[in-house]
Amino acid sequence: MKDRYVIGIDLGGTKISGAVANFEGDIIFKYTLPTKAEEGEKAVLDRIIAVVKKVIEESKLDKDAIVSIGIGSPGPLDAKEGKIITTPNLPFKNFNIVKPLVDEFHIPVYLDNDANVAAIGEYVFGAGKETNNMVFITVSTGIGGGAILNGKIYRGNTCNALEIGHMTLEKNGPRCNCGNYGCAEALASGTAIGKFAREVVEKGQKTSLSNYKNITSYEVFKEAENGDFEAQNILNTALHYLGISVSNVITSFDPEMVVIGGGVSKGGKIVFDKVNEVVKERCFKSMAKNTKIVPAALGTDAGVIGAVALALIESK
Amino acid sequence: MKDRYVIGIDLGGTKISGAVANFEGDIIFKYTLPTKAEEGEKAVLDRIIAVVKKVIEESKLDKDAIVSIGIGSPGPLDAKEGKIITTPNLPFKNFNIVKPLVDEFHIPVYLDNDANVAAIGEYVFGAGKETNNMVFITVSTGIGGGAILNGKIYRGNTCNALEIGHMTLEKNGPRCNCGNYGCAEALASGTAIGKFAREVVEKGQKTSLSNYKNITSYEVFKEAENGDFEAQNILNTALHYLGISVSNVITSFDPEMVVIGGGVSKGGKIVFDKVNEVVKERCFKSMAKNTKIVPAALGTDAGVIGAVALALIESK
């Protein structure tokens, strides 16, 4: 059979990246344009189309060899309908983004949210290759997730499955952006870690964190490593809650593997040691033993490779 | 096509119930024997075989019309291997219960745990008919669950998915039988409700609960309805945690429906009102709105009908 290719589009608030790749996930050509969300729906859509056209052109492939397009976008969105409902950093409101692309390029176009696309990327090309049940958790400004169950992406009834960051872990915990109290995201995200650190500094505690003007989770990890007690304390608590989140995911999904990505996962050993410790304490022994907890394997191009993987699994 | 039938076996610590049913779930003949677990593996297996033989005989069906057998058993078990690992009230230890039945009856035999079988029963014949993604939660002495995802039973990697009762909801909560602290089961099960009530009485609080020798969740529901403050308080707290469990399930699985069964669900309106209230507070609006929370529809014969449903879905 003739070689076949797909296009992956990573749609973000600051840039639109697109790539043509073969069925092994090798990128043939990649191209990026700024999003310029402030210019509105039509202008951003036009730039997405321009990116697709550019990668087709520059890949020098026969147009018939490209079989589908996958798009990863922030949500909430309706994957079945191909519609972006609304999202803070993009202009689209209840906007069907699939239809104009199908009309333009006459090949199937698939849309899914960032977290699902990242999960699919790790499943097809990354840490989760050769698993059958895998949960992906991203821990950065927020906490999100996606799952491959019985070998298929699991989206749920309204395409919102695996909103892991909004599991309640503390009945009377801190207020979350979603309006609820004590969500995992309000206790263990990068944003939460930064916030707790700023609170400690404001209270006038003795800590090397007070040397920074802007404290984010990055500084907390750094100072914890340098031996600062308050930074270690903040991390210890937040990572305990991350461990509880992962434990609850294991207890609910009984997956072969939990893949953790996002900025906080870059903390490395301290993050994975703590998560493993909590899982061992809190999960059934057999489940703790049988679930691998690993860092995401895809790097800088994770977004676009995930979108390629989405196009691939839907085209197979 | 000739009418086809299946056999369902509900294997419990006190009795073994079996039934022949048609593909619509109508029971043709049902028969029950005591388990007598103390007599050991061989004796209990013989009684299971006796139940199957009896229902075949009494149903007066052509033996070829019966296409498969489903068995629901307490876990943990290995559904794929057909093996009961161990379980408190049955003699089987790492015992393959499927093989001797296949050898005896020469038709496929399927095994699954109680909670999955109950989920399948509700999906095929009960409250979850016509759904595609459904989570079943049972709240009685323990809290367990099962899920139908994308129209199929989801078992997970080690057949332990949906161990909902062992999600951690309180980091430093009461000790659970599993060894962990603050599990849903230690906060919201019937056993937990009874325990909290006995603690209140032991503390000498003024409560009508002190009129009982044996306090279980049943008495707590009764006295709460009669207006007893302490009983209402205990229920309010426990049902809040049940609501958090259901919220976390909705946030993780985004199901069309959550079906709640088990003794505590018999509490009725007070249980479902509280669970709905908490879900509305804690879940994304769209998910809370799109998930129906309903009581289990199958009654006394739920175990055996679930086993029939297991045999059916595996035979289709």
Side-chain angles (χ1 to χ4, degrees), chain A residues 103-125:
Chain A
D103 289 348
E104 182 73 35
F105 298 104
H106 309 289
I107 51 176
V109 178
Y110 307 101
L111 172 72
D112 213 330
N113 69 49
D114 285 344
N116 281 352
V117 163
I120 296 168
E122 291 293 334
Y123 172 66
V124 176
F125 298 120

Side-chain angles (χ1 to χ4, degrees), chain A residues 16-19 29-33 50-52 54-55:
Chain A
I16 303 161
S17 292
F29 187 79
K30 193 188 146 193
Y31 184 62
T32 297
L33 282 179
V51 169
V52 176
K54 181 77 172 180
V55 295

Side-chain angles (χ1 to χ4, degrees), chain B residues 33-278:
Chain B
L33 281 179
T35 307
K36 296 187 184 166
E38 68 284 1
E39 292 183 5
E41 290 181 341
K42 174 76 174 63
V44 176
L45 175 63
D46 284 347
R47 265 190 293 278
I48 295 172
I49 291 173
V51 168
V52 176
K53 282 187 172 163
K54 180 78 173 182
V55 296
I56 293 175
E57 197 186 307
E58 295 286 339
S59 68
K60 311 260 190 287
L61 290 168
D62 182 11
K63 219 181 148 188
D64 294 347
I66 298 170
V67 296
S68 65
I69 299 172
I71 310 174
S73 161
L77 51 77
D78 185 330
K80 288 168 212 157
E81 296 285 324
K83 203 189 272 183
I84 298 175
I85 311 285
T86 174
T87 178
N89 303 313
L90 288 172
F92 305 114
K93 304 278 170 227
N94 286 309
F95 187 87
N96 190 316
I97 199 161
V98 162
K99 196 178 171 302
L101 292 171
V102 171
D103 290 347
E104 181 73 37
F105 299 104
H106 311 289
I107 50 176
V109 177
Y110 307 101
L111 172 72
D112 213 328
N113 68 50
D114 285 344
N116 281 352
V117 163
I120 296 168
E122 291 293 333
Y123 172 65
V124 177
F125 298 121
K129 273 192 291 193
E130 289 160 37
T131 62
N132 199 36
N133 297 313
M134 183 206 97
V135 177
F136 171 79
I137 304 179
T138 172
V139 191
S140 55
T141 51
I143 296 181
I148 311 294
L149 305 181
N150 292 337
K152 285 196 175 158
I153 181 78
Y154 176 70
R155 296 191 173 97
N157 185 36
T158 69
C159 298
N160 280 307
L162 279 296
E163 277 288 359
I164 294 165
H166 300 286
M167 280 199 295
T168 302
L169 303 186
E170 278 293 347
K171 194 161 55 112
N172 303 315
R175 182 95 189 213
C176 181
N177 282 334
C178 74
N180 182 26
Y181 293 85
C183 289
E185 186 163 302
L187 293 160
S189 65
T191 311
I193 292 170
K195 187 180 144 230
F196 297 143
R198 291 190 298 277
E199 285 170 3
V200 162
V201 169
E202 277 159 27
K203 273 188 202 152
Q205 309 275 40
K206 202 177 157 255
T207 164
S208 54
L209 290 166
S210 54
N211 299 330
Y212 296 94
K213 263 190 187 159
N214 282 315
I215 313 174
T216 69
S217 60
Y218 177 81
E219 286 74 32
V220 183
F221 273 102
K222 198 172 143 190
E223 292 309 316
E225 211 184 329
N226 289 340
D228 182 74
F229 172 79
E230 294 294 342
Q232 287 175 342
N233 200 24
I234 291 162
L235 269 195
N236 195 46
T237 305
L239 295 177
H240 191 147
Y241 283 113
L242 180 60
I244 293 179
S245 308
V246 174
S247 301
N248 287 356
V249 161
I250 292 175
T251 298
S252 303
F253 289 93
D254 186 14
E256 283 169 77
M257 186 181 277
V258 174
V259 179
I260 308 181
V264 170
S265 73
K266 301 285 194 305
K269 192 169 173 338
I270 182 176
V271 175
F272 286 85
D273 281 358
K274 185 73 187 177
V275 167
N276 274 299
E277 177 197 318
V278 176

Side-chain angles (χ1 to χ4, degrees), chain A:
Chain A
M1 199 173 66
K2 209 177 61 170
D3 275 351
R4 299 193 305 165
Y5 300 83
V6 295
I7 292 174
I9 299 287
D10 180 22
L11 177 58
T14 55
K15 58 192 173 62
I16 303 161
S17 292
V20 179
N22 63 18
F23 270 43
E24 279 70 52
D26 306 315
I27 289 179
I28 310 300
F29 187 79
K30 193 188 146 193
Y31 184 62
T32 297
L33 282 179
T35 307
K36 297 188 184 165
E38 68 284 1
E39 293 183 6
E41 289 182 341
K42 174 76 175 62
V44 176
L45 176 63
D46 284 348
R47 266 191 293 279
I48 296 171
I49 291 172
V51 169
V52 176
K53 281 187 173 162
K54 181 77 172 180
V55 295
I56 293 175
E57 197 185 307
E58 295 286 339
S59 67
K60 311 260 191 285
L61 290 168
D62 182 11
K63 219 182 146 186
D64 293 346
I66 298 171
V67 296
S68 64
I69 300 173
I71 310 174
S73 161
L77 52 75
D78 185 331
K80 288 168 212 158
E81 296 285 325
K83 202 189 274 184
I84 298 176
I85 312 285
T86 174
T87 179
N89 302 314
L90 288 172
F92 305 114
K93 305 277 170 230
N94 286 310
F95 188 86
N96 191 318
I97 198 160
V98 163
K99 198 179 170 301
L101 293 171
V102 172
D103 289 348
E104 182 73 35
F105 298 104
H106 309 289
I107 51 176
V109 178
Y110 307 101
L111 172 72
D112 213 330
N113 69 49
D114 285 344
N116 281 352
V117 163
I120 296 168
E122 291 293 334
Y123 172 66
V124 176
F125 298 120
K129 273 192 291 194
E130 289 161 38
T131 62
N132 199 35
N133 297 313
M134 184 206 95
V135 177
F136 171 79
I137 304 179
T138 173
V139 191
S140 56
T141 51
I143 296 181
I148 312 293
L149 305 182
N150 292 336
K152 287 197 174 158
I153 180 76
Y154 176 71
R155 296 190 173 99
N157 184 36
T158 68
C159 296
N160 280 306
L162 279 297
E163 277 289 359
I164 294 166
H166 300 285
M167 280 198 294
T168 301
L169 302 185
E170 279 292 348
K171 194 161 56 114
N172 303 315
R175 181 96 188 210
C176 181
N177 282 334
C178 74
N180 182 25
Y181 292 85
C183 288
E185 187 164 302
L187 292 160
S189 66
T191 311
I193 292 170
K195 187 180 144 232
F196 297 143
R198 291 191 298 277
E199 284 170 2
V200 162
V201 170
E202 278 160 24
K203 274 189 202 151
Q205 308 275 40
K206 200 175 159 260
T207 165
S208 54
L209 290 167
S210 54
N211 298 330
Y212 297 94
K213 262 190 190 161
N214 281 319
I215 313 174
T216 68
S217 61
Y218 177 81
E219 286 75 30
V220 183
F221 273 102
K222 197 171 144 191
E223 292 309 317
E225 211 184 330
N226 289 340
D228 182 74
F229 172 78
E230 294 294 343
Q232 287 174 343
N233 200 23
I234 290 162
L235 270 195
N236 195 44
T237 305
L239 295 177
H240 191 146
Y241 283 113
L242 181 59
I244 293 179
S245 308
V246 175
S247 301
N248 287 356
V249 161
I250 292 175
T251 298
S252 302
F253 289 93
D254 185 14
E256 281 170 77
M257 185 180 276
V258 174
V259 179
I260 307 181
V264 170
S265 74
K266 302 283 196 302
K269 192 171 173 336
I270 183 177
V271 174
F272 286 85
D273 282 357
K274 185 70 187 179
V275 167
N276 274 298
E277 178 196 317
V278 175
V279 165
K280 222 170 158 180
E281 272 169 27
R282 296 194 177 269
C283 289
F284 284 8
K285 258 187 204 152
S286 64
M287 288 165 96
K289 204 182 73 185
N290 284 298
T291 310
K292 291 188 198 84
I293 301 169
V294 303
L298 301 180
T300 338
D301 284 334
V304 78
I305 290 179
V308 161
L310 167 66
L312 271 179
I313 62 159
E314 298 287 3
S315 303
K316 265 179 182 167

